[in-house]
Amino acid sequence: MHPILLSLVTYLPLGGALAIFLMRGTSEAIETASRWVALWTSLLVFALSVVIWAEFDPQVPGFQFVQQADWAASFGVSYHTGVDGISLLFVLLSTFLTPLAVIGGWKLVTTRVRDYMVALLLLETTLVGLFSALDLVLFYVFYEATLIPGSLMIGVWGGPKRVWASMQFFLFTFGGSLFMLLALLAMWTMTGTTDIPVLMHANFAPAMQCWLLLGFILAFGVKLPLFPLHAWLPDAYTEAPTPTTALLSGVLSKAGAYGLLRFGVLMFPDAARLFAPYVLTLGVIAVIYAAIVALAQTDMKRLIAYSSFSHMGVIAVGLFTLTPEGIDGAIFQMLSHGVIITALFFCVAAVSWRAETRSIDAFSGVAHKMPVLATLGMLFVMANIGLPGTGAFVGEWLVMVGAIHVSFWIAFLAGSSMILGAVYMLVLYRRVMFGAPGRGVVAMLRDLTGPELAVLVPCALVTLWMGIHPTSFLRVFDPAVVNAVSAPQAQAAAAPVHLAAR
């Protein structure tokens, strides 16, 4: 294992962004070169991350590909990176979706192309750094750094309400992360270090665990988002250009779930048990509320945005079941949802870019004009619903298995995402794809081009792979989850005896 591999995956996009930024020549030549440099950089980074996946040994406990160097040693802060079975697959998700976002933006982004590709590669560096950080200060730096390219891509290249959407996204996330900063400072004051593996074994007092967990829930609940911290989501996802929406919903929202898992459920297990009923309730509310709101939408992209919010509720439920099955299901759902939601946003973009409208009422009989899109779209719609044979089914089924240990009603209501999802997704698909071939905008539609297929076909293959052979992914993170959850569960089993004795 070469620790430098992880550094290459983290900082090669930064090198690519710098190369694009320093380009000189005519504006047309710079635009073309920017696209190609961004594409080849992101493909090389993805290839290196696959090498890390191939060399990773899930049976070895702890973190692998570790690099550590002094940063502010006198303050207990170091540059410390590495991956375990949980974070590795999120690094892989980030590097998989970035080249798809580059290809997807080839025709969709036509102004200030160089700046856009620089922002896209910077976002990739911050995401990989965030998932591989093993020092809390380093994690916080990368977490905050995602805001800069993220909000710029919404605010500069977004739709008519882009500035408002960008401000909401920035202020909500930045405001939430201040609570994480307070928790970080409190932990550093008590332990003298910000090293995550050390903090995982620090025995914080139960009352302090609750305050720290509350800080992290407020910080990551905005990014996830948890109900009712979701006000920024519909506008940000709708106004952002589609490649940006794909990365926001596909990866950046997973940073919130990853943080809740790493710094909530696993670091503060006692407090997590106290908070679980409340978070499970908020997760169930998100599932049902977002599904009902999705059904009322007339804008295709906004409907998919609310669909994403609904599925993040399922992930919150899985994490706070505090069972290995529930957490496995939440992680699997994060990965499959990242791929499926990206594909759905690009399917919407394929139609709306040609027709110059996203209104559902403007379309009818699109399948007659775009049969390839209709076929791939049907796969992603079914995957989003949770059809057996797709990745989402495995994730939702495992979440329900974990939830049934907690409460039948939690499992039932969280599982209603499948039924409610079927309602709004099939209504959308029927209204847009079927019916008599529409006149006007539909008459001018042409089927998918090569670059669009280059985005959607890999998503389709991964979705089917995750559904048909889930072990490829489960074997990577399941040992880490079982090891992390088993110790707190053993303590929990002893707790009732202790309380009874008192």
Side-chain angles (χ1 to χ4, degrees):
M1 285 184 193
H2 305 287
I4 197 170
L5 266 178
L6 187 57
S7 292
L8 283 172
V9 169
T10 307
Y11 295 110
L12 260 181
L14 191 61
L18 190 62
I20 292 171
F21 190 72
L22 295 174
M23 283 177 181
R24 294 293 177 265
T26 64
S27 59
E28 194 174 323
I30 289 173
E31 284 185 10
T32 305
S34 299
R35 291 185 175 109
W36 284 108
V37 169
L39 178 60
W40 285 111
T41 302
S42 57
L43 285 172
L44 177 60
V45 169
F46 175 59
L48 289 172
S49 64
V50 171
V51 172
I52 292 178
W53 187 21
E55 291 192 9
F56 183 83
D57 184 356
Q59 301 308 320
V60 175
F63 295 91
Q64 299 174 43
F65 299 94
V66 174
Q67 277 197 311
Q68 189 163 14
D70 286 343
W71 191 13
S74 57
F75 294 100
V77 180
S78 63
Y79 178 85
H80 191 188
T81 61
V83 290
D84 63 356
I86 298 167
S87 52
L88 169 63
L89 289 177
F90 289 110
V91 169
L92 206 62
L93 180 67
S94 307
T95 60
F96 172 68
L97 293 184
T98 303
L100 300 186
V102 173
I103 299 167
W106 211 271
K107 288 185 177 178
L108 294 175
V109 177
T110 53
T111 57
R112 302 181 65 175
V113 174
R114 173 167 72 175
D115 298 341
Y116 186 83
M117 293 303 167
V118 167
L120 198 64
L121 291 176
L122 283 176
L123 185 60
E124 183 176 23
T125 282
T126 57
L127 286 168
V128 174
L130 180 156
F131 289 124
S132 58
L134 293 182
D135 184 278
L136 204 45
V137 170
L138 185 65
F139 177 88
Y140 183 79
V141 168
F142 278 123
Y143 185 84
E144 292 292 84
T146 60
L147 277 177
I148 300 166
S151 54
L152 280 177
M153 285 196 287
I154 299 169
V156 177
W157 292 274
K161 294 194 291 182
R162 60 185 181 273
V163 175
W164 169 243
S166 177
M167 276 182 60
Q168 272 192 308
F169 170 71
F170 187 93
L171 292 173
F172 264 83
T173 311
F174 190 73
S177 57
L178 289 177
F179 293 100
M180 174 168 45
L181 182 61
L182 290 173
L184 186 161
L185 290 170
M187 292 162 77
W188 175 77
T189 304
M190 285 181 285
T191 61
T193 183
T194 54
D195 197 64
I196 292 169
V198 174
L199 292 173
M200 295 293 281
H201 297 101
N203 291 315
F204 296 103
M208 180 51 71
Q209 277 198 35
C210 290
W211 284 112
L212 293 172
L213 180 58
L214 181 62
F216 283 119
I217 286 176
L218 289 171
F220 298 124
V222 171
K223 191 77 98 179
L224 188 66
L226 267 179
F227 181 88
L229 303 173
H230 65 282
W232 63 270
L233 180 142
D235 286 338
Y237 283 14
T238 307
E239 296 301 318
T242 300
T244 305
T245 308
L247 289 176
L248 288 180
S249 60
V251 190
L252 206 54
S253 64
K254 309 306 176 290
Y258 171 79
L260 268 184
L261 174 60
R262 180 74 78 200
F263 306 112
V265 173
L266 300 183
M267 194 177 277
F268 309 117
D270 297 334
R273 278 194 294 278
L274 290 174
F275 277 73
Y278 307 106
V279 179
L280 290 172
T281 304
L282 291 176
V284 166
I285 291 171
V287 168
I288 298 167
Y289 164 79
I292 293 169
V293 175
L295 192 56
Q297 298 306 308
T298 56
D299 181 317
M300 290 189 288
K301 198 174 182 186
R302 207 170 179 89
L303 188 150
I304 304 298
Y306 276 106
S307 163
S308 176
F309 176 33
S310 180
H311 284 83
M312 296 313 285
V314 176
I315 290 166
V317 168
L319 292 176
F320 276 83
T321 60
L322 308 180
T323 60
E325 300 88 355
I327 294 171
D328 275 350
I331 296 170
F332 203 93
Q333 177 74 347
M334 287 184 233
L335 298 170
S336 68
H337 175 266
V339 175
I340 293 163
I341 208 72
T342 295
L344 284 170
F345 276 122
F346 276 117
C347 285
V348 168
V351 177
S352 60
W353 179 71
R354 288 164 170 79
E356 298 183 353
T357 177
R358 295 194 303 257
S359 173
I360 297 171
D361 297 330
F363 298 97
S364 173
V366 171
H368 296 279
K369 291 287 186 180
M370 305 180 76
V372 177
L373 174 70
T375 306
L376 286 168
M378 175 56 87
L379 170 64
F380 296 126
V381 163
M382 289 301 174
N384 201 40
I385 292 166
L387 187 77
T390 62
F393 170 75
V394 180
E396 293 194 11
W397 180 73
L398 283 170
V399 167
M400 288 172 70
V401 169
I404 204 84
H405 291 309
V406 179
S407 159
F408 165 79
W409 288 108
I410 292 289
F412 173 75
L413 292 170
S416 69
S417 66
M418 292 187 181
I419 302 158
L420 295 168
V423 175
Y424 61 75
M425 290 308 297
L426 291 177
V427 165
L428 170 69
Y429 192 84
R430 179 186 62 78
R431 290 175 66 182
V432 173
M433 292 295 176
F434 296 146
R439 295 176 183 176
V441 293
V442 176
M444 298 183 291
L445 296 180
R446 296 291 177 268
D447 215 345
L448 297 177
T449 60
E452 287 167 332
L453 286 170
V455 173
L456 294 176
V457 170
C459 290
L461 293 174
V462 171
T463 299
L464 291 171
W465 179 14
M466 292 186 80
I468 294 165
H469 197 262
T471 312
S472 312
F473 303 89
L474 284 168
R475 70 173 190 84
V476 177
F477 59 80
D478 181 58
V481 170
V482 171
N483 289 339
V485 174
S486 56
Q489 280 191 334
Q491 292 171 6
V497 178
H498 175 66
L499 289 170
R502 289 178 67 187

